[in-house]
Amino acid sequence: MEVLFTKAVIDRRVEELADVISRDYQGQDLIVVGILKGAFVFMADLIRALRIPCTVDFARLASYGSQTESSGKIVVTKDIETTIKGRDILVVEDIVDTGLTLSFFIDMLRKREPRTLRVCVFLDKRERRKVPFEADYVGFHIEDRFVVGYGLDFNEKFRFLRDVCVIEE
Ligand code: XMP
Ligand code: MG
């Protein structure tokens, strides 16, 4: 497996993102919503790098498709438990690829009328979009290669890796 981003490079980038987010949400009542399972490692690092308080919640989404591609049929298998109406919500996800998962989830949360709703993704495969979707905060833009580690998996394997690696299919 080829290393794409080392732990040191990831750590530096997470600090930069946290600086920007801390400034943007200064004085606000921030709720960070992670999408399970992929986001849990990134989110744990991100919230600890913030210089503002936040609360956390999680949703679990499933998309039925192949091992490396989502089908577009998204199902909420665990919803968030927080009332988000009138509050400031930052959704955190490991990767945006076709955009189907996040556009579905954001549309769902928007109906609950949060005061603000933004998205932070660790990785963005921009060229793969099937629906238009722009994250507000992006860790790294990557090419169309399947990556694992730092929370990302292939068949539930490799989430524990400290580096982000490319697996050859
Ligand atoms: P969409 O296509 O809906 O997909 O934007 C987002 C979800 O697809 C998975 N995904 C990956 N997972 N390495 C992974 O481990 C990858 O390179 C990759 N590309 C897409 C991921 O589950 C994400 O939440
Ligand atoms: Mg995922």
Side-chain angles (χ1 to χ4, degrees), residues 12-24:
R12 217 173 307 135
R13 185 65 188 131
V14 169
E15 292 285 339
E16 289 173 357
L17 285 173
D19 284 349
V20 175
I21 292 167
S22 298
R23 253 179 273 131
D24 290 355

Side-chain angles (χ1 to χ4, degrees), residues 68 70 74 93-102 125 145-148 152-154:
T68 58
S70 78
I74 318 289
E93 171 64 314
D94 55 354
I95 186 166
V96 53
D97 184 25
T98 63
L100 291 164
T101 305
L102 274 169
K125 283 187 193 173
R145 301 168 83 189
F146 201 81
V147 293
V148 296
L152 291 118
D153 73 303
F154 176 69

Side-chain angles (χ1 to χ4, degrees), residues 117-158:
L117 181 58
R118 295 197 199 117
V119 177
C120 176
V121 294
F122 176 57
L123 300 174
D124 187 346
K125 283 187 193 173
R126 205 182 240 158
E127 67 188 65
R128 295 251 314 162
R129 288 294 192 288
K130 287 183 181 161
V131 290
F133 185 86
E134 281 290 330
D136 301 277
Y137 308 96
V138 176
F140 300 98
H141 290 278
I142 63 169
E143 291 170 22
D144 182 15
R145 301 168 83 189
F146 201 81
V147 293
V148 296
Y150 201 63
L152 291 118
D153 73 303
F154 176 69
N155 268 348
E156 293 302 324
K157 290 180 294 196
F158 309 120

Side-chain angles (χ1 to χ4, degrees), residues 7 21-22 26 47 49 54 78 86 95 115 128 136 139 159:
K7 177 184 177 338
I21 292 167
S22 298
Q26 192 69 248
I47 65 163
C54 67
K78 184 221 171 292
I95 186 166
R115 195 180 80 87
R128 295 251 314 162
D136 301 277
R159 291 193 198 274

